[in-house]
Amino acid sequence: MLPTAFIPEYKHLPASANSLCLAFIGDQLLVFSDGRLPEHYDLPAHDCAEISVQIGSVASQSCVLMAWHKDTPYAADLQAIGLRAAWGLIEDSHYWIAARAQQLLTFDRQHRFCGCCGTATTRMNKETARECPACLHRAYPRVSPAIMVLIKKDRQLLLARSPHFRPGVYSALAGFVEAGESCEEAVFREIYEEVGVKVSNLSWFGSQSHPFPHSLMLAFIADYVSGEITPQEGEIEDAQWFGLENLPELPGKSSIAYHLIQAGLAKIAQK
């Protein structure tokens, strides 16, 4: 999560000598092998950057998003890595600022033309938006809410795996909230669609930005009521009840899924 002292901003300001630079080549973050983020003088020529905006500040230090085309050359002592691979390599607080930077970069690249009339858009000066000069339609960064729910039954948790998970990894169930749907309605619908069971006693756990590319994960815990596990074809590769003694491999410790499952394990350990 973003550091508590972080102040979100969006200003067209160049990186200065003391700026924290969130620099991307294509969609890959530039870092040193020891996890340090580059300084402004370590980066490619600023005049060929496709974007350079201050996206916030932390402890009086400006945080600047900069990006270049994927074929742009960069210093040999830097490496370009995906945001997932950056977890654990760069500082936690810097990781979440980089996550914000990548979401804003995705927005900027995906809204270069007006969705209403097709005219090229321009960046707003001090607002996180792009505006069409022809019809004045204004677009803002998308945040796609997704629910995650951990289901408890006695001293067991229902965990499942998607076909795109790393081999052996199981997690809590998750899915996107549909237009016009509440988060609670999405929980009940997704659970029934994905594994064919019903739940009750829905309780809030927490949320986490999920920048792949622009989701907000909203996590809940629920109690099993009825139904036999029936994995949804094409969505759920396997789903099972797991106890403390036979846990599968869990998601990475940076994820809200990991913390949700740990909270569930703590609850059933008390029974």
Side-chain angles (χ1 to χ4, degrees):
M1 295 175 288
L2 285 167
T4 53
F6 183 83
I7 301 172
E9 296 169 309
Y10 195 81
K11 299 177 181 177
H12 292 259
L13 297 172
S16 61
N18 68 338
S19 293
L20 182 66
C21 294
L22 298 313
F24 290 84
I25 297 293
D27 59 359
Q28 305 283 291
L29 181 68
L30 286 180
V31 297
F32 288 103
S33 58
D34 62 1
R36 286 182 300 116
L37 294 175
E39 304 287 343
H40 72 293
Y41 50 76
D42 297 312
L43 299 171
H46 290 198
D47 56 5
C48 69
E50 64 177 272
I51 186 172
S52 178
V53 294
Q54 183 174 323
I55 61 169
S57 59
V58 60
S60 300
Q61 182 180 25
S62 65
C63 303
V64 177
L65 160 64
M66 302 186 73
W68 292 263
H69 186 270
K70 65 179 182 178
D71 296 325
T72 304
Y74 52 89
D77 53 348
L78 287 170
Q79 57 180 320
I81 61 175
L83 197 59
R84 290 183 191 273
W87 178 258
L89 177 62
I90 66 176
E91 253 180 64
D92 284 5
S93 59
H94 290 175
Y95 177 85
W96 292 111
I97 298 172
R100 169 172 163 78
Q102 187 168 63
Q103 289 181 80
L104 294 178
L105 178 58
T106 297
F107 157 72
D108 193 79
R109 286 172 170 167
Q110 292 181 351
H111 290 80
R112 291 175 176 172
F113 295 91
C114 178
C116 294
C117 71
T119 303
T121 60
T122 58
R123 296 188 190 103
M124 299 294 291
N125 228 5
K126 293 185 179 180
E127 190 172 2
T128 317
R130 292 189 71 111
E131 187 175 69
C132 174
C135 70
L136 301 184
H137 172 71
R138 193 174 293 181
Y140 294 87
R142 180 192 312 172
V143 177
S144 303
I147 56 86
M148 173 174 286
V149 58
L150 182 68
I151 304 171
K152 300 188 286 91
K153 184 176 80 168
D154 299 324
R155 291 175 57 81
Q156 294 181 309
L157 303 177
L158 199 163
L159 302 177
R161 58 172 285 105
S162 166
H164 68 265
F165 282 6
R166 198 172 67 249
V169 172
Y170 282 71
S171 185
L173 296 166
F176 286 100
V177 179
E178 295 284 349
E181 189 175 49
S182 71
C183 293
E184 292 80 3
E185 289 168 335
V187 166
F188 297 125
R189 175 186 55 77
E190 281 287 346
I191 289 172
Y192 191 73
E193 286 179 357
E194 292 193 343
V195 292
V197 304
K198 295 183 178 181
V199 298
S200 64
N201 298 330
L202 195 63
S203 61
W204 172 250
F205 176 75
S207 63
Q208 183 183 62
S209 174
H210 189 70
F212 305 107
H214 43 60
S215 299
L216 176 64
M217 195 64 74
L218 310 165
F220 298 84
I221 296 177
D223 290 329
Y224 168 82
V225 172
S226 64
E228 294 296 323
I229 295 175
T230 307
Q232 183 181 14
E233 187 175 351
E235 292 289 331
I236 303 298
E237 190 173 87
D238 185 41
Q240 301 179 38
W241 292 107
F242 292 94
L244 292 169
E245 69 289 343
N246 68 331
L247 286 174
E249 185 178 352
L250 300 179
K253 293 183 179 180
S254 65
S255 67
I256 193 169
Y258 176 84
H259 296 286
L260 177 64
I261 294 169
Q262 291 301 317
L265 292 171
K267 283 181 180 293
I268 65 175
Q270 295 170 359
K271 290 188 175 182

